[in-house]
Each structure stands twice: as C-alpha cells, then as structure tokens.
Amino acid sequence: MAKKVRTPEEASRDPAAVALLKRAAELEVETCFARADEIVPCPIGAEGLCCRNCAMGPCRLVGKTDRGVCGATIDTVVARNFARAVAVGAASHIDHARDLARTLLAAAEGKAPDYKIRDPYKLVEVAKDFGIKTDGREIGEIARDLALAALAEFGQIEGEVVYVRRAPQKRQQIWRQLGLVPRAYDWEVVDLLHRTHIGNDQDAEHLLHQSMRCALADGWGGSMLATDITDILFGTPAPVLSEANLGVLREDMVNVIIHGHEPTLSEMIVAAAQDPELIEYAKSKGAEGINLAGICCTANETLMREGVPLAGNFLQQELAILTGAVEAMVVDVQCIMEGLVPIADRFHTELITTSPKVRIAGATHIEFDEHRALEIAKEILRRAIDRFPERGETFIPDYRSPLVPGFSHEYIDYALGGYYRGSFRPLNDAIIAGRIRGVVADIGCNNPRICHDEYHYYVVSEFLKNDILVVQTGCGAIASAKKGFMTPEAALEIAGPGLREVCEAIGIPPVLHMGACVDNSRILTVLSQMATEGGLGEDIADIPAVGMATEWMSEKALAIATYCAASGAYVIMGGRNPVSGSETVIRLMTEGWEKKVGGKLEFIAEADEIVRKAIEHIDKKRADLGLPEYDPSKWGKSGDWRIQEVLDLPFEERIQAIYGKK
Ligand code: NFS
C-alpha cells in the first residue's frame, strides 16, 4: 500500500504551522509530520500486543499466538504494557516535583539566592496541609520545613501521602476501602515497575489496580506538589494578557525559545532578559532587545506567571526553528524532540540542553545549577545574542492571538466570590440552574498522527456551543489560545447563551487556561471544592464533568488519564487505543473501573463521537443529581446582550423593559 503523504493543510489546522510546513517542503527540511507519514506504526505494538520484557521474546501475540514464551496471556501483556507507560508518566511528574522541592529547600537555606518565596500566603496554606506549625514563624523556616516534609513524601516508610486529604471525604473512603491510597510517591512507581518484570503480577485487573494507585501518587502527589511549590516560588497565577502563536517571534529582536517543563531555569531567563546590560549587549549586535517565547509546558508556566507569549505547542517546536528567527532554543526535560538537532543545524539556532537528566547528541549542554541560576541564565542569553548577527533569511508567519490565561483554582475562587467571600458557590449554582450544562477538561498533547490541533479546536468549539465550560492545560490549552478561544470576547462569539451570561457576569473567557500538565492537579482541586461546596453530589464522580486528551501521545497523558479516572472522572482519550489488543483490559478500564471507583477510561478515535459521549455523560450526571434538563432557550436574555437589546428598543418599549410599566 502506498504511503499517504499529507498536504500541509491536511497535517495541521493552524495556519502558522501550515505556512511553515510549506516552507519546510521548499527548503527540504524534514519534520515530525513527514516522519509520521513515512513511518507506519507497528500494528502489533500499537495494540499493546508486543511483550519485550525479557530475552525469551520479544513475543508478538498475534494470529494463533495467544501466549508468550513464559505463558503470559494477551490480557497480561496488554495490561503490563499499559502499566509500564503509567509508571513512566507518573515518574516524570514526580521527579519534576522532587527537583522543585529541592529548589525550595535550597532557597529556604539561602543556598539558591536567586530564588525567593513569591507567594508566602500559599506557603503558609500548604505548610498547614503538611501539619507544619506556621504561627509566629519566619517564612524561611516554614519553607525549609515544608521542603523537608515534601521530600519525605517521596520515600515515606508507611502511611498515606498528604494530598489525598484534599479530596472529598467520600472519595477518600473509596480509595481507603480499595487500598488505592498512595503510600509514597516513589514507592508506587517502583512497585508498579516491579510487578511488570517477567514472572510477577500476571492478572490484568491487579496490574490495572496498581496502575491507578501509582497514577494517584502522581495526581494527588507529584503533580500537586509541583504545582504548589511552583506557585510558592514564582507566584500563584492570576489573569494576565498575552499572545500565542509563532507570530510572537520578532524580526528585530534576539528570539529565545524556552521549551520543556521546568520553571526553575526559565523563570531565571525571564529575569535575565530584563537585565539592562544584556539588552545593551543585544543592541550592540544590531537587535532591539531580547524576546522570549515558550513551547510546551515551560511555555505554560512562564505564560501564567509572567505573561511570556506562547510560540506554540508540541508539534510546533521544529517549526519554530524553521522560521530562521530563533537564536537559541533552551530545553530542560520532557517532550523535546531529537529532531530539533538536524533542523537547528540548518539554521543559526543553538539548541541548548540544561538538565542534568537530558543530553541530546549534537546540542550544546550548559548544565543548570539552582545555586547560580541567574548567572547561567545570563550566560545562555549572551550566547543567543552572539548568534543574532548570523541570522539568515527569516520566515515568521504573521499569526498570533490574544489570550487571558492565569486561572489558578485560587483565582477562580476569588473571581467567583471576591477576596473575603471566595467560593465556588456561583459556579455550582450556574451548573445547578443549567446555565452551565457541565464542565469539560480538554488537556494533553498534539500527535502528528492526528491533524494538528484539529480535535482540540473541534471539541472545544462544540462544548462551548453547548454551554459547557472548558478548562485546559498543556498543549491543548495552547491550541485554544492560538485559536482565540481564551479571551472574554470569545464567549460572546461562540459560547451558548447560558455560558455566555456567566462569562459576561464574571468577566472570564469561556475556556480557562489553568496551566501546565502538572497543573491538572488544579483541576482536581477545583472538582473537589465543587463537590464539597454542595448541590452537586458529594464526590468528584457526581459532578457533570468529563476529562479528555483528544490528541494525546505521551505516557504522562496516560498517567493523568488514569489518576483522573481513579478520582471518579469519565476520561476520554482520542486517537489510538494502546489497549485495543485485549477486550478484557478495555472492559476492566471502562465497566470495571466505573463499578470500582466511579470513573472510567475510554479510547475513542473520532472527535464527533468524543463530543457525543461526553455530552451524554454530562446529561446523565445532571439527571442523576435531579438537576433540570439542559434547556438553552431559558438563557441569554441578561447581561451585556440584554442591555444592548434594551438600548436598541424604541423609547417607549425601552422604558417598559426597564421599569416594567409605560
Ligand atoms: Ni503534557 Fe506538557 Fe504537551 Fe503532552 Fe508534552 S508538553 S506535560 S505531555 S506534549 S501536553
């Protein structure tokens, strides 16, 4: 069968990406889009049916072969492959959290002088969660105790991880009854990996059970801790105005892309870029200054707190270099394509790795050390500036959209009720009344096997039309940002009448950017607070909400999906189903998990089917709660819309509309 090579328009829905894919063809530069067309996925691995866990194999369980050499069944092999992916995904978030906790400790002990506690209020709140005494104590002392208590969570000898107590009571009971409460972050990952060794756990349900516990150590452990410490060190996000897409690169400035996941170095680069000496240095090389832009979750971190513009999501990392306008791309950990090296070689761009964990052959390595963070950040920027005179022809597609990100759960609480009356009551009330039909979290990656951003655009616009509030993180959030869904004005244009009223009243966009992928923990916190607030049941599983990663590709996405399901949510993953080789595993994750934990994980290939099933689930949850059936005709006659309508009336009718009499 001839391989299908997609046109740029078939490969991406983002006009900036389309323009650059055309440019790539002209320059004969290879990208992941072309490689995805070239490489046919292994059909056996794709279904989870290849076991390569020992040297008796690899065993390919296809055709008449339904057991591996050791006798492992299809169900065991498929569940074991899934479990390994969850373990790796969880490990990524957990290890990210460890680095942040170590940075907090170094900052508290005065060994990392460039870091300060920017949110002491949150420090105190989190310290209380950890049972640390806060009254009358110095901030530095509290921070040190918190860092040590947090670091102890990774390898705790026994007990439960602290953050499970943030979940609704009912959820905690379910986890305790089922033995699902994580004991220590690292423990659950090691336990799961251990089980997948040859000759260990050989019961699909049992493997999936520990997959949930391990994933919970991510969601209610590593990720939640990473979010909290990042807020403590760099500030809890609140709305800012910024821009998204490759058009944020500047012709007249030194462009530096920060890409990866960790905020520790990128925050220092943001600070260094404002250094007058470095700006002067850039000017001495013929540039107007230094322009920073982000890719992937580093982008989301610095966007949320500093307003640094988004250059793009996962599938735009190579395309950014293709503009010819990037002097340096600075990467840390996760989601960094090795394909960046050959592209950077074609241009003047320096690809700089910085994490002690990540080296890429062909890239420059400047190792990050939190003890002299700002100095390293300045060194990196100086190198970028030195490249500016080497810049050749550029091709920056002129596409960028405004956005208002920064919706931490603390800010949502504040926006809904004010400083003294912060509460989720208005949100719950809007759902109860039916103004908001339900909530969808559309998160996760891009995948070159799916037309770039297409699923994100489609599902988000469908949900908005149906009065469903959308919250987003990760690369899905960047997709919506580029599409213009993240401005309050978008509510007027796309949202259904009820959702529009709510957005107008509060002054928020209909799609809330809640941060990076570790910040999915913010979504867990919001759902827990909604459950606790009252009127929407008493558990996350009761809320009319659905989680999804429509263009997922990473193991982290599988870990997130699993902890959301284990927390009671219905989770839908788009595109490929990595457990399709076993009907038993599919059943266990859907019907089985639904019975066990109230949530389920389903893989659905088509976007319209995803929307249909999500809305069906939301309506079912509404009915279970005894809420009124969704009826959009009841709404849309208030707020700005109504004011304008009244102002447009002839005088007599206007008076009647306002005063109710002639
Ligand atoms: Ni999440 Fe963020 Fe993007 Fe996917 Fe990668 S950047 S952590 S894994 S690709 S959303």
Side-chain angles (χ1 to χ4, degrees):
M1 198 174 71
K3 284 175 194 155
K4 164 126 174 64
V5 175
R6 291 167 297 174
T7 63
E9 287 82 1
E10 287 167 333
S12 178
R13 285 284 170 269
D14 172 354
V18 169
L20 279 156
L21 286 173
K22 290 182 181 163
R23 178 80 173 157
E26 261 169 48
L27 300 178
E28 296 183 349
V29 170
E30 189 189 85
T31 65
C32 61
F33 293 89
R35 288 189 294 271
D37 288 342
E38 181 59 33
I39 302 168
V40 178
C42 163
I44 303 161
E47 296 200 61
L49 290 168
C50 173
C51 181
R52 43 182 298 279
N53 293 11
C54 81
M56 296 190 285
C59 298
R60 306 183 306 163
L61 305 189
V62 280
K64 291 201 180 115
T65 313
D66 59 1
R67 283 184 186 264
V69 173
C70 70
T73 62
I74 285 177
D75 299 340
T76 296
V77 167
V78 169
R80 208 153 55 181
N81 284 333
F82 179 81
R84 281 201 166 191
V86 169
V88 175
S92 307
H93 291 141
I94 290 169
D95 209 37
H96 169 160
R98 186 192 332 270
D99 288 340
L100 280 160
R102 287 169 58 89
T103 305
L104 179 64
L105 181 63
E109 290 180 339
K111 293 177 188 159
D114 302 324
Y115 297 95
K116 302 272 172 302
I117 305 295
R118 284 211 222 148
D119 191 342
Y121 178 76
K122 183 145 188 178
L123 169 73
V124 168
E125 290 300 304
V126 178
K128 283 183 193 155
D129 288 346
F130 277 79
I132 293 164
K133 204 174 149 287
T134 55
D135 283 349
R137 297 185 70 203
E138 292 278 321
I139 286 297
E141 272 176 45
I142 301 172
R144 184 170 182 281
D145 282 359
L146 175 61
L148 289 171
L151 285 165
E153 290 269 292
F154 291 79
Q156 165 168 274
I157 298 166
E158 58 181 4
E160 297 183 342
V161 301
V162 162
Y163 283 129
V164 292
R165 295 202 292 266
R166 281 194 187 167
Q169 282 299 333
K170 190 169 165 197
R171 181 69 10 206
Q172 295 183 39
Q173 274 164 18
I174 293 171
W175 289 336
R176 286 197 184 102
Q177 270 161 14
L178 293 168
L180 276 174
V181 178
R183 297 155 292 184
Y185 306 171
D186 291 346
W187 187 348
E188 305 308 347
V189 176
V190 174
D191 178 320
L192 187 54
L193 286 174
H194 180 189
R195 283 173 201 233
T196 66
H197 188 273
I198 155 81
N200 263 354
D201 205 356
Q202 287 154 96
D203 177 299
E205 186 175 6
H206 203 235
L207 279 158
L208 293 175
H209 190 86
Q210 177 60 20
S211 300
M212 283 198 278
R213 197 179 202 181
C214 173
L216 288 170
D218 172 355
W220 299 86
S223 282
M224 207 167 265
L225 183 68
T227 295
D228 279 353
I229 298 186
T230 306
D231 286 353
I232 290 167
L233 282 172
F234 306 115
T236 302
V240 285
L241 181 63
S242 191
E243 288 185 314
N245 216 341
L246 288 162
V248 304
L249 295 176
R250 295 278 301 265
E251 201 70 62
D252 55 350
M253 291 176 108
V254 174
N255 291 306
V256 176
I257 299 259
I258 41 183
H259 169 25
H261 285 76
E262 291 180 345
T264 29
L265 173 62
S266 50
E267 281 282 342
M268 288 300 124
I269 293 183
V270 174
Q274 287 148 26
D275 179 11
E277 223 173 274
L278 278 174
I279 295 171
E280 268 317 300
Y281 188 53
K283 287 187 175 158
S284 77
K285 299 282 179 179
E288 287 295 315
I290 305 161
N291 180 42
L292 298 182
I295 299 254
C296 284
C297 285
T298 291
N300 289 322
E301 299 279 8
T302 48
L303 166 82
M304 295 276 280
R305 297 185 181 82
E306 318 291 349
V308 171
L310 300 169
N313 47 11
F314 177 65
L315 286 185
Q316 281 168 290
Q317 53 187 290
E318 294 172 320
L319 305 181
I321 298 183
L322 255 165
T323 62
V326 174
E327 276 59 51
M329 181 176 276
V330 188
V331 302
D332 47 59
V333 296
Q334 302 168 17
C335 305
I336 301 146
M337 291 191 191
E338 197 166 346
L340 292 172
V341 174
I343 295 198
D345 280 349
R346 291 283 303 266
F347 296 89
H348 71 307
T349 310
E350 183 163 35
L351 178 66
I352 303 173
T353 53
T354 57
S355 166
K357 289 166 212 168
V358 177
R359 293 219 184 183
I360 305 178
T364 307
H365 187 73
I366 301 177
E367 194 146 307
F368 177 62
D369 172 2
E370 67 263 28
H371 303 103
R372 33 178 220 97
L374 194 57
E375 188 190 321
I376 295 168
K378 285 184 183 172
E379 182 192 336
I380 287 171
L381 288 186
R382 219 168 278 121
R383 288 181 78 101
I385 294 166
D386 286 338
R387 293 264 169 150
F388 185 74
E390 293 170 34
R391 198 190 267 187
E393 200 187 338
T394 59
F395 183 89
I396 305 176
D398 190 18
Y399 294 101
R400 55 184 176 279
S401 300
L403 80 147
V404 181
F407 291 90
S408 54
H409 52 268
E410 287 88 345
Y411 184 78
I412 297 174
D413 198 46
Y414 164 77
L416 292 172
Y419 190 75
Y420 294 106
R421 292 181 296 114
S423 134
F424 278 77
R425 196 68 250 158
L427 178 58
N428 281 28
D429 285 344
I431 294 173
I432 292 166
R435 271 196 176 81
I436 294 180
R437 189 174 187 173
V439 180
V440 160
D442 173 43
I443 62 147
C445 327
N446 298 131
N447 184 333
R449 305 250 168 234
I450 292 175
C451 179
H452 172 221
D453 288 346
E454 178 173 285
Y455 277 30
H456 289 303
Y457 291 169
Y458 177 76
V459 302
V460 170
S461 54
E462 287 301 305
F463 291 134
L464 296 183
K465 277 187 236 162
N466 278 285
D467 290 298
I468 292 169
L469 178 72
V470 179
V471 297
Q472 292 196 279
T473 59
C475 290
I478 301 176
S480 285
K482 291 185 294 174
K483 190 72 178 164
F485 290 157
M486 289 180 167
T487 60
E489 295 73 31
L492 300 174
E493 285 162 29
I494 329 162
L499 176 61
R500 194 174 60 211
E501 274 185 15
V502 174
C503 291
E504 276 177 6
I506 310 173
I508 54 169
V511 181
L512 303 181
H513 192 318
M514 294 189 70
C517 285
V518 288
D519 296 330
N520 286 318
S521 61
R522 296 191 202 277
I523 299 175
L524 297 178
T525 307
V526 167
L527 291 173
S528 299
Q529 294 189 356
M530 285 167 74
T532 315
E533 182 65 41
L536 292 177
E538 44 181 0
D539 181 26
I540 293 172
D542 300 332
I543 298 172
V546 179
M548 57 186 62
T550 48
E551 300 181 24
W552 78 279
M553 64 87 205
S554 79
E555 291 166 313
K556 287 180 289 172
L558 291 180
I560 295 166
T562 304
Y563 73 63
C564 288
S567 302
Y570 175 29
V571 182
I572 304 175
M573 306 292 272
R576 183 165 79 72
N577 179 352
V579 297
S580 59
S582 164
E583 280 303 321
T584 309
V585 171
I586 292 174
R587 219 179 30 254
L588 284 168
M589 287 174 158
T590 48
E591 294 157 35
W593 281 3
E594 193 164 33
K595 262 194 222 121
K596 209 178 205 182
V597 291
K600 59 182 171 179
L601 172 51
E602 206 171 347
F603 293 86
I604 301 177
E606 301 302 330
D608 49 357
E609 182 68 358
I610 293 174
V611 170
R612 193 186 64 73
K613 293 204 74 168
I615 294 180
E616 194 181 281
H617 179 84
I618 284 172
D619 286 346
K620 179 174 179 306
K621 290 289 170 186
R622 291 188 65 84
D624 290 351
L625 287 166
L627 301 180
E629 220 171 284
Y630 167 68
D631 176 9
S633 69
K634 282 161 73 180
W635 315 113
K637 303 270 183 260
S638 71
D640 295 354
W641 187 91
R642 179 64 183 150
I643 291 169
Q644 197 52 54
E645 192 187 56
V646 169
L647 290 177
D648 289 345
L649 292 171
F651 179 75
E652 290 278 306
E653 289 172 45
R654 202 185 315 158
I655 296 298
Q656 189 180 7
I658 296 169
Y659 298 106
K661 57 177 190 253
K662 294 211 173 177

